[in-house]
Amino acid sequence: MGQITVRELEERILELEEVVVRIRAPHDALVNDYAGKDGAYERKAAGTTSVSDWLEQRIKPSINGLEYSIINGDYSTPHGRTKLSTLRNSYEK
C-alpha cells in the first residue's frame, strides 16, 4: 500500500464515496493510500453500510490513528449508525 498526502486522501474519498472527511493533520502529511487488500477502491461503499462500519473498514486503515471528522450536509457530525445513503443524500447537489 502506497502513501499519499492527507489532502489527496480527502479528495479521493470525496470523489469516490461522495462523503466529506476532514483529517486533522497538515495537508502535506503522508497517510496510507485509500485502498483495500486487493488494491485501490474502484466503487463506493454500499449505501446500506453504516458510517461506523465504513470508518472501520475503509477510512481508519488509511489514516494511521489521526483524528478525523465526517461532515454531513448541514455541517454536523452524523451518528455512527447513519447509513451512507442518508449521509450522501444530506449534501446539496
Side-chain angles (χ1 to χ4, degrees):
M1 186 179 300
Q3 291 202 311
I4 58 175
T5 66
V6 166
R7 179 178 300 232
E8 290 170 329
L9 178 61
E10 291 172 341
E11 290 170 355
R12 283 189 187 178
I13 293 169
L14 179 59
E15 182 180 324
L16 179 64
E17 302 287 359
E18 300 174 2
V19 173
V20 177
V21 176
R22 291 295 172 246
I23 300 166
R24 293 188 177 99
H27 284 291
D28 59 353
L30 294 177
V31 292
N32 293 331
D33 198 357
Y34 191 56
K37 296 175 199 157
D38 299 326
Y41 294 118
E42 295 179 10
R43 299 183 346 167
K44 63 184 171 185
T48 56
T49 305
S50 71
V51 169
S52 57
D53 286 345
W54 174 70
L55 288 169
E56 288 298 323
Q57 295 167 9
R58 289 197 173 195
I59 303 301
K60 289 182 180 180
S62 292
I63 61 173
N64 305 323
L66 295 171
E67 289 186 40
Y68 60 89
S69 294
I70 308 300
I71 303 169
N72 68 16
D74 64 357
Y75 303 102
S76 62
T77 302
H79 190 280
R81 289 185 296 225
T82 302
K83 300 295 181 198
L84 286 177
S85 60
T86 303
L87 177 58
R88 290 175 183 135
N89 289 334
S90 72
Y91 302 108
E92 290 290 325
K93 299 263 178 179

